[in-house]
């Protein structure tokens, strides 16, 4: 997982360098913040066009729990990174990738327990409704 994150960060750094080089070569002279505004804005809209149909299909087929899981998992990732960055900035703890992994695994374990209990509940309800 750690290697994957480092790979993603290096790809993002390469893309950033490419965009900055492109910006300099065409002499648009956008600042770094202006480029972030443009690129993240466009990336966000592209993601809306990609993710909306998937979530719409999931909702139409009754898979709202999948949508919930994706959303919560995303929030958990952001929160664990924010906590670790906050610890690094404030000096209130060690900024470690292992802490992020442990937090995410904690969510996955808790969700697994929830999913098993939910599955048992739905089986019981289905069993009694067929009688």
């Amino acid at each position: 997982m750690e290697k994957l994150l480092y790979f993603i960060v290096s790809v993002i750094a390469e893309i950033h360098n490419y965009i900055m080089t492109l910006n300099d070569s065409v002499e648009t002279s956008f600042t770094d913040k202006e480029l972030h505004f443009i690129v993240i804005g466009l990336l966000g809209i592209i993601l809306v066009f990609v993710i909306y149909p998937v979530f719409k299909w999931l909702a139409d087929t009754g898979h709202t729990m999948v949508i919930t899981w994706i959303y919560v998992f995303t929030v958990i990732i952001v929160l664990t990174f924010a906590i670790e960055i906050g610890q690094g900035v404030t000096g209130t703890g060690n900024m470690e990738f292992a802490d992020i992994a442990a937090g995410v695994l904690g969510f996955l374990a808790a969700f697994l327990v929830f999913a098993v209990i939910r599955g048992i509940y739905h089986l019981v309800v289905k069993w009694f409704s067929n009688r």
Side-chain angles (χ1 to χ4, degrees), residues 13-25 28 35 39:
E14 287 295 321
I15 293 169
H16 183 269
N17 289 340
Y18 173 76
I19 291 171
M20 291 303 285
T21 303
L22 186 63
N23 181 51
D24 294 342
S25 67
T28 56
L35 285 172
V39 171

Side-chain angles (χ1 to χ4, degrees), residues 3-118:
K3 288 183 181 184
L4 175 66
L5 284 175
Y6 278 115
F7 173 74
I8 291 170
V9 167
S10 68
V11 168
I12 290 171
E14 287 295 321
I15 293 169
H16 183 269
N17 289 340
Y18 173 76
I19 291 171
M20 291 303 285
T21 303
L22 186 63
N23 181 51
D24 294 342
S25 67
V26 296
E27 299 178 8
T28 56
S29 67
F30 287 118
T31 66
D32 190 46
K33 291 187 183 21
E34 290 169 332
L35 285 172
H36 277 263
F37 178 86
I38 294 166
V39 171
I40 299 301
L42 290 175
L43 179 62
I45 287 300
I46 290 168
L47 286 172
V48 165
F49 287 125
V50 170
I51 292 171
Y52 176 77
V54 173
F55 278 24
K56 178 98 171 85
W57 175 78
L58 286 168
D60 290 346
T61 56
H63 291 90
T64 53
M65 184 56 73
V66 175
I67 297 169
T68 302
W69 187 89
I70 292 169
Y71 179 78
V72 171
F73 184 75
T74 304
V75 170
I76 291 296
I77 295 289
V78 170
L79 280 174
T80 54
F81 271 91
I83 289 167
E84 289 306 305
I85 292 168
Q87 286 180 345
V89 170
T90 62
T92 57
N94 295 327
M95 199 164 92
E96 297 175 309
F97 179 78
D99 293 346
I100 294 168
V104 172
L105 285 174
F107 165 69
L108 292 176
F111 189 83
L112 180 63
V113 170
F114 165 75
V116 168
I117 292 169
R118 184 175 184 262

